Amino acid sequence: MTGLREVIAALFGRRRDGAAPRQHGRATAGAGSDEAGSNADGPSEPREDAGADPPEPYDKPLPDIHEQPHAEPFWAATTEERLLVQHCRDCGEFQYFPRPWCHHCASDDIEWTEAEGVGTVYSYTIVRTTVSNPEFAGDVPYVTAYVELAEGPRMLTMLTGCSPDAVERGMPVEVRFEHVTDDVALPLFEPQ
Amino acid sequence: MSFDSVGVVSVGETEKRRPETTEDRRSLEEYYTEAARLTLAETPIEVADVDGLGIIASMTDTPPIYPGMLAETLGFADLTWTAQADAGGSSALTLVRQAAMAIETGAAETVLCLGADTPIDPGDDGLFPSDPRGYAKNYLDPFGTQGPTARLAHVKTVHMDEYGTTAEQLSNVAITQREHAVANPLAYFDSPIDRAEYLDSEFIAEPVRLYDCVIPVNAGFGVLLTTADRATESADHPVHIAGIGECTNPSLGIPPDVTSTGIAPATRDAFAETDREPADADFLQLYDDYPIVVAMQLEDLGLCAKGEGGDLLASADLRYDGDRPLNTSGGQLSAGQPGMAGGFVQLVEGVRQLQGEGGDRQVPDPEWGIVTGVGGIGYAKNLRHNTVGVLGRGEDA
């Protein structure tokens, strides 16, 4: 799958400085774990020959689960298939993604709560050409969505388990956890 | 706020390049140098006269304390003011606002604002390097949402669904701006497109298409400001800054309204000290990272109701000689987006039009106009950085 630069060069053609478009290979930027047993394909279907060859390392971008100490509980919980959101005891709002304090009222009186794990699709896009994320080329077309959780916050995720053309704003979805490495599980969503 | 003690003397702009070989590339510093040369060239002001230097934070990786390194490399000495604006497409206007504040307060007298970037590197495959840290790295990229298009697409989905905005309406931005680029020798693109080509162009992140996307280029720009008196001595057509307003990280509710931007509060701020109304602007240089962003800005500038930006794009004559001249140099879509210096495309064109330097796309006798800059797409939010500038002919100050 070509990246945007190649698409532009090929489709737009002639430009003021006269040079012809050129083809060049696209290196896969790896960011991943080499843990044995990791799910190389991320959110796509499991390989039928999964038992035959050693699994490929997960080469898609991974969150740095230790970058922010305040966020470590979130990532630990996803490996246990629990979705946590922060709740502010001062103003009562929930927030996602995890922050160091309540970003609505700047209070430090925030606690982790376990979300129901359900919501509705608030917005979505169907990625049909990978630009800066060639690691996802094999998943194209795929759907990313902001899911409005029952608790209120909207979280960005990938929608799986349905055709991209079947996605609609407002459709009810529920969380599922993709264990992409031994340390990381990504909260994805699928139709309820 | 307005800047009655400040005058814009001149602007400079390099050609736009997408180098395919390392021999064909120019360095970031060479673009800064050329931008400085072009900006100072037609004026009596020299490097030694410049006592304030502002630059932008580029996509091209630079070391810490870069503004001073650049000053030292190029020979801008004895500076009483320096700054580096880091607000994406909003950087140019926010930088000029800060420069104008420096002159207005007496912190500096003659300030050169430069923006350059080299996003196209023949030795590199990616357009956007991975973030070293932050919420995008941890909560966006792992889900296949890297880069602005995949993020902005969510805003477009909502706007189209809630207001019925159509691709046909938005196509007018791409088509007209291509016409303007054809008339601009410094624009990257030099051939027109029609509606069929726009509508046939492939989806990148649906509903955003290829022809909704900017063309990344390497380039450099400059804007020279000084005191109003010195500007009158130094330029035939000095430009007056009637106001620049900013809004960063607009709140827009819990949960936030993603179809509105911080352009509305920035507009109120920019127009606070002038009797002018946005609807009377002689031109609109609106940062065009995507046509839907132009539509939302028309709404948030107050030129139409929320949700009617698409209708306005379809009904107005957006050409340089029409009733609502839009992005007369071709904008980010057709003149090019030089990385984080993109905001200078709109700003430099706004000054140029007021100085009568618009060439084959000169707006007929403009007295004043609007320039905007936007940058960064928030998490579950719309644009993070929003700036609005009101520029007028110096004689009207």
Side-chain angles (χ1 to χ4, degrees):
Chain A
M1 179 60 66
T2 55
L4 184 60
R5 186 185 302 177
E6 287 73 26
V7 170
I8 288 173
L11 293 185
F12 284 148
R14 194 172 70 86
R15 321 153 305 159
R16 267 203 168 82
D17 66 10
R22 74 174 176 127
Q23 301 298 319
H24 62 271
R26 171 171 285 279
T28 297
S33 151
D34 59 355
E35 297 289 330
S38 62
N39 180 347
D41 293 328
S44 33
E45 294 302 311
R47 295 167 52 194
E48 289 183 8
D49 60 343
D53 300 317
E56 291 161 17
Y58 186 74
D59 69 346
K60 292 172 175 162
L62 284 165
D64 181 346
I65 64 174
H66 296 299
E67 178 192 300
Q68 304 287 343
H70 69 270
E72 285 178 320
F74 172 81
W75 292 112
T78 57
T79 64
E80 299 165 359
E81 309 222 335
R82 296 159 58 228
L83 183 66
L84 300 185
V85 291
Q86 290 170 319
H87 172 249
C88 177
R89 285 187 280 239
D90 256 333
C91 72
E93 296 288 346
F94 293 85
Q95 66 181 10
Y96 178 86
F97 52 89
R99 273 118 154 146
W101 66 13
C102 174
H103 86 288
H104 298 297
C105 74
S107 168
D108 290 314
D109 196 7
I110 54 178
E111 60 184 351
W112 290 106
T113 62
E114 185 159 345
E116 277 184 62
V118 299
T120 57
V121 171
Y122 179 74
S123 68
Y124 67 96
T125 178
I126 305 172
V127 178
R128 297 194 183 275
T129 306
T130 55
V131 178
S132 304
N133 47 347
E135 306 90 344
F136 288 89
D139 298 301
V140 164
Y142 64 89
V143 180
T144 69
Y146 275 104
V147 169
E148 183 165 312
L149 299 174
E151 292 77 14
R154 294 175 182 151
M155 67 180 285
L156 190 283
T157 185
M158 188 182 287
L159 279 189
T160 64
C162 71
S163 158
D165 297 313
V167 177
E168 291 181 339
R169 294 188 69 211
M171 64 188 273
V173 292
E174 61 188 16
V175 70
R176 54 169 278 262
F177 294 89
E178 187 79 21
H179 298 268
V180 296
T181 72
D182 283 353
D183 299 321
V184 179
L186 297 177
L188 309 182
F189 280 73
E190 59 187 13
Q192 278 186 43
Chain B
M1 56 188 306
S2 71
F3 302 97
D4 294 330
S5 308
V6 179
V8 178
V9 176
S10 63
V11 294
E13 178 177 352
T14 71
E15 61 174 5
K16 315 297 173 294
R17 298 180 78 84
R18 289 175 56 86
E20 300 196 328
T21 64
T22 51
E23 292 75 28
D24 203 29
R25 62 179 262 282
R26 297 289 176 271
S27 70
L28 180 67
E29 291 71 21
E30 286 170 335
Y31 278 109
Y32 270 119
T33 307
E34 186 66 10
R37 187 205 326 282
L38 291 168
T39 306
L40 295 171
E42 307 288 313
T43 78
I45 294 170
E46 300 177 338
V47 170
D49 299 318
V50 172
D51 61 356
L53 181 69
I55 68 169
I56 59 120
S58 58
M59 291 171 71
T60 302
D61 199 16
T62 54
I65 334 184
Y66 184 73
M69 177 187 293
L70 188 70
E72 185 186 352
T73 303
L74 270 51
F76 288 95
D78 300 313
L79 299 172
T80 59
W81 180 89
T82 59
Q84 183 175 37
D86 189 7
S90 211
S91 299
L93 260 180
T94 205
L95 182 64
V96 163
R97 181 178 191 244
Q98 292 173 39
M101 289 164 72
I103 297 169
E104 188 89 5
T105 59
E109 186 178 299
T110 301
V111 179
L112 185 58
C113 293
L114 301 176
D117 210 339
T118 54
I120 305 299
D121 179 348
D124 169 20
D125 275 334
L127 286 176
F128 299 101
S130 302
D131 292 348
R133 59 189 298 110
Y135 76 66
K137 176 187 178 183
N138 298 315
Y139 302 101
L140 289 175
D141 297 352
F143 301 93
T145 309
Q146 207 159 331
T149 297
R151 298 171 194 173
L152 184 281
H154 291 277
V155 168
K156 186 173 181 182
T157 292
V158 176
H159 199 282
M160 294 178 86
D161 186 56
E162 304 226 327
Y163 302 119
T165 308
T166 67
E168 286 78 7
Q169 291 169 336
L170 298 173
S171 70
N172 291 296
V173 174
I175 293 162
T176 307
Q177 290 186 197
R178 268 301 188 107
E179 280 184 42
H180 293 157
V182 171
N184 175 11
L186 287 178
Y188 182 78
F189 283 121
D190 60 359
S191 59
I193 58 171
D194 61 26
R195 201 177 318 278
E197 286 175 82
Y198 172 91
L199 293 174
D200 282 344
S201 71
E202 65 184 77
F203 285 120
I204 307 301
E206 188 171 348
V208 178
R209 303 168 181 279
L210 177 64
Y211 280 94
D212 288 316
C213 296
V214 308
I215 181 73
V217 295
N218 299 348
F221 292 76
V223 177
L224 179 66
L225 305 88
T226 186
T227 61
D229 289 343
R230 189 165 197 182
T232 304
E233 293 164 8
S234 308
D236 289 335
H237 303 286
V239 168
H240 173 244
I241 302 174
I244 302 180
E246 265 187 37
C247 182
T248 296
N249 192 26
S251 46
L252 294 167
I254 304 175
D257 172 11
V258 302
T259 65
S260 295
T261 70
I263 288 293
T267 299
R268 286 191 289 278
D269 199 6
F271 282 83
E273 292 173 49
T274 173
D275 292 332
R276 297 180 174 119
E277 296 286 335
D280 299 328
D282 291 321
F283 57 74
L284 302 168
Q285 313 294 350
L286 308 184
Y287 195 88
D288 56 319
D289 44 351
Y290 303 91
I292 189 68
V293 175
V294 173
M296 291 187 291
Q297 289 180 79
L298 293 173
E299 297 162 0
D300 296 341
L301 282 164
L303 302 184
C304 61
K306 176 50 62 181
E308 292 182 3
D311 293 318
L312 183 54
L313 287 172
S315 63
D317 184 351
L318 306 173
R319 288 174 298 181
Y320 67 92
D321 57 356
D323 57 278
R324 291 230 184 265
L326 173 69
N327 288 329
T328 53
S329 69
Q332 311 295 312
L333 292 173
S334 298
Q337 182 187 67
M340 297 291 147
F344 279 90
V345 169
Q346 269 78 18
L347 176 57
V348 162
E349 178 68 2
V351 172
R352 193 185 276 120
Q353 287 285 347
L354 292 167
Q355 295 186 320
E357 300 290 323
D360 292 337
R361 79 266 177 211
Q362 175 67 50
V363 172
D365 204 29
E367 288 187 18
W368 70 280
I370 295 172
V371 174
T372 69
V374 296
I377 297 146
Y379 187 97
K381 297 184 78 168
N382 204 333
L383 298 153
R384 187 163 64 226
H385 301 274
N386 305 261
T387 47
V388 175
V390 183
L391 305 179
R393 284 209 298 243
E395 298 85 79
D396 295 335

mmCIF file of all heavy atoms in Angstrom, chain B residues 11 17 50 115 118 170 192 229 254 270 281 330 337 344 385:
data_model
loop_
_atom_site.group_PDB
_atom_site.id
_atom_site.type_symbol
_atom_site.label_atom_id
_atom_site.label_comp_id
_atom_site.label_asym_id
_atom_site.label_seq_id
_atom_site.Cartn_x
_atom_site.Cartn_y
_atom_site.Cartn_z
ATOM 1 N N VAL B 11 7.809 41.434 3.197
ATOM 2 C CA VAL B 11 7.738 39.987 3.363
ATOM 3 C C VAL B 11 8.709 39.334 2.382
ATOM 4 O O VAL B 11 9.145 39.965 1.418
ATOM 5 C CB VAL B 11 6.318 39.427 3.130
ATOM 6 C CG1 VAL B 11 5.363 39.923 4.207
ATOM 7 C CG2 VAL B 11 5.804 39.775 1.742
ATOM 8 N N ARG B 17 9.773 23.424 -2.755
ATOM 9 C CA ARG B 17 10.414 22.269 -3.370
ATOM 10 C C ARG B 17 10.037 20.980 -2.663
ATOM 11 O O ARG B 17 9.809 20.969 -1.459
ATOM 12 C CB ARG B 17 11.940 22.415 -3.318
ATOM 13 C CG ARG B 17 12.468 23.599 -4.083
ATOM 14 C CD ARG B 17 13.991 23.650 -3.980
ATOM 15 N NE ARG B 17 14.634 22.691 -4.873
ATOM 16 C CZ ARG B 17 14.886 22.909 -6.168
ATOM 17 N NH1 ARG B 17 14.541 24.042 -6.711
ATOM 18 N NH2 ARG B 17 15.469 21.995 -6.904
ATOM 19 N N VAL B 50 18.565 44.841 12.573
ATOM 20 C CA VAL B 50 17.564 43.964 13.189
ATOM 21 C C VAL B 50 17.964 43.706 14.638
ATOM 22 O O VAL B 50 19.048 43.201 14.908
ATOM 23 C CB VAL B 50 17.455 42.637 12.405
ATOM 24 C CG1 VAL B 50 16.564 41.645 13.145
ATOM 25 C CG2 VAL B 50 16.910 42.903 11.006
ATOM 26 N N GLY B 115 10.078 31.922 9.150
ATOM 27 C CA GLY B 115 9.552 30.570 9.284
ATOM 28 C C GLY B 115 10.083 29.725 8.148
ATOM 29 O O GLY B 115 9.963 30.097 6.990
ATOM 30 N N THR B 118 11.658 21.903 6.462
ATOM 31 C CA THR B 118 12.041 20.979 5.381
ATOM 32 C C THR B 118 11.439 19.607 5.666
ATOM 33 O O THR B 118 12.161 18.649 5.956
ATOM 34 C CB THR B 118 13.577 20.880 5.262
ATOM 35 O OG1 THR B 118 14.129 20.544 6.542
ATOM 36 C CG2 THR B 118 14.177 22.185 4.791
ATOM 37 N N LEU B 170 -17.379 21.469 -0.400
ATOM 38 C CA LEU B 170 -15.991 21.631 0.012
ATOM 39 C C LEU B 170 -15.043 21.645 -1.174
ATOM 40 O O LEU B 170 -13.958 22.232 -1.095
ATOM 41 C CB LEU B 170 -15.604 20.517 0.992
ATOM 42 C CG LEU B 170 -16.396 20.509 2.298
ATOM 43 C CD1 LEU B 170 -16.062 19.263 3.112
ATOM 44 C CD2 LEU B 170 -16.113 21.758 3.121
ATOM 45 N N PRO B 192 -4.621 23.217 -13.013
ATOM 46 C CA PRO B 192 -5.918 23.253 -12.329
ATOM 47 C C PRO B 192 -6.468 21.848 -12.091
ATOM 48 O O PRO B 192 -5.988 20.875 -12.659
ATOM 49 C CB PRO B 192 -6.803 24.033 -13.315
ATOM 50 C CG PRO B 192 -6.193 23.779 -14.646
ATOM 51 C CD PRO B 192 -4.711 23.596 -14.420
ATOM 52 N N ASP B 229 6.692 54.603 12.461
ATOM 53 C CA ASP B 229 7.439 55.687 11.804
ATOM 54 C C ASP B 229 8.511 55.126 10.884
ATOM 55 O O ASP B 229 8.660 55.562 9.737
ATOM 56 C CB ASP B 229 8.085 56.605 12.849
ATOM 57 C CG ASP B 229 7.061 57.448 13.587
ATOM 58 O OD1 ASP B 229 5.920 57.574 13.080
ATOM 59 O OD2 ASP B 229 7.391 57.973 14.673
ATOM 60 N N ILE B 254 -18.335 20.159 27.917
ATOM 61 C CA ILE B 254 -18.046 18.797 28.381
ATOM 62 C C ILE B 254 -19.241 17.934 27.983
ATOM 63 O O ILE B 254 -20.313 18.083 28.574
ATOM 64 C CB ILE B 254 -17.869 18.721 29.912
ATOM 65 C CG1 ILE B 254 -16.769 19.685 30.386
ATOM 66 C CG2 ILE B 254 -17.564 17.289 30.343
ATOM 67 C CD1 ILE B 254 -16.641 19.747 31.904
ATOM 68 N N ALA B 270 -9.434 39.805 18.094
ATOM 69 C CA ALA B 270 -8.756 40.491 16.989
ATOM 70 C C ALA B 270 -9.510 41.755 16.568
ATOM 71 O O ALA B 270 -8.901 42.748 16.162
ATOM 72 C CB ALA B 270 -8.609 39.555 15.792
ATOM 73 N N ALA B 281 -14.410 42.121 5.107
ATOM 74 C CA ALA B 281 -13.008 41.920 4.734
ATOM 75 C C ALA B 281 -12.863 41.835 3.219
ATOM 76 O O ALA B 281 -13.683 41.229 2.527
ATOM 77 C CB ALA B 281 -12.478 40.631 5.379
ATOM 78 N N GLY B 330 -3.082 30.308 -3.192
ATOM 79 C CA GLY B 330 -3.250 28.874 -3.368
ATOM 80 C C GLY B 330 -3.309 28.114 -2.052
ATOM 81 O O GLY B 330 -3.730 26.972 -2.004
ATOM 82 N N GLN B 337 2.481 23.417 1.874
ATOM 83 C CA GLN B 337 2.591 23.543 3.315
ATOM 84 C C GLN B 337 4.028 23.254 3.721
ATOM 85 O O GLN B 337 4.470 22.099 3.729
ATOM 86 C CB GLN B 337 1.669 22.576 4.053
ATOM 87 C CG GLN B 337 1.766 22.765 5.577
ATOM 88 C CD GLN B 337 0.984 21.714 6.339
ATOM 89 O OE1 GLN B 337 1.314 20.537 6.331
ATOM 90 N NE2 GLN B 337 -0.063 22.160 7.004
ATOM 91 N N PHE B 344 2.775 31.011 7.503
ATOM 92 C CA PHE B 344 3.327 32.151 6.763
ATOM 93 C C PHE B 344 2.730 32.245 5.356
ATOM 94 O O PHE B 344 2.742 33.327 4.759
ATOM 95 C CB PHE B 344 4.856 32.053 6.666
ATOM 96 C CG PHE B 344 5.568 32.538 7.898
ATOM 97 C CD1 PHE B 344 5.872 31.674 8.928
ATOM 98 C CD2 PHE B 344 5.917 33.876 8.026
ATOM 99 C CE1 PHE B 344 6.518 32.121 10.074
ATOM 100 C CE2 PHE B 344 6.578 34.337 9.158
ATOM 101 C CZ PHE B 344 6.882 33.460 10.195
ATOM 102 N N HIS B 385 -4.872 25.211 18.402
ATOM 103 C CA HIS B 385 -4.329 26.570 18.324
ATOM 104 C C HIS B 385 -5.130 27.345 17.277
ATOM 105 O O HIS B 385 -5.345 26.855 16.171
ATOM 106 C CB HIS B 385 -2.858 26.546 17.941
ATOM 107 C CG HIS B 385 -2.028 25.775 18.916
ATOM 108 N ND1 HIS B 385 -1.508 26.345 20.060
ATOM 109 C CD2 HIS B 385 -1.669 24.473 18.950
ATOM 110 C CE1 HIS B 385 -0.858 25.417 20.747
ATOM 111 N NE2 HIS B 385 -0.941 24.279 20.100
#
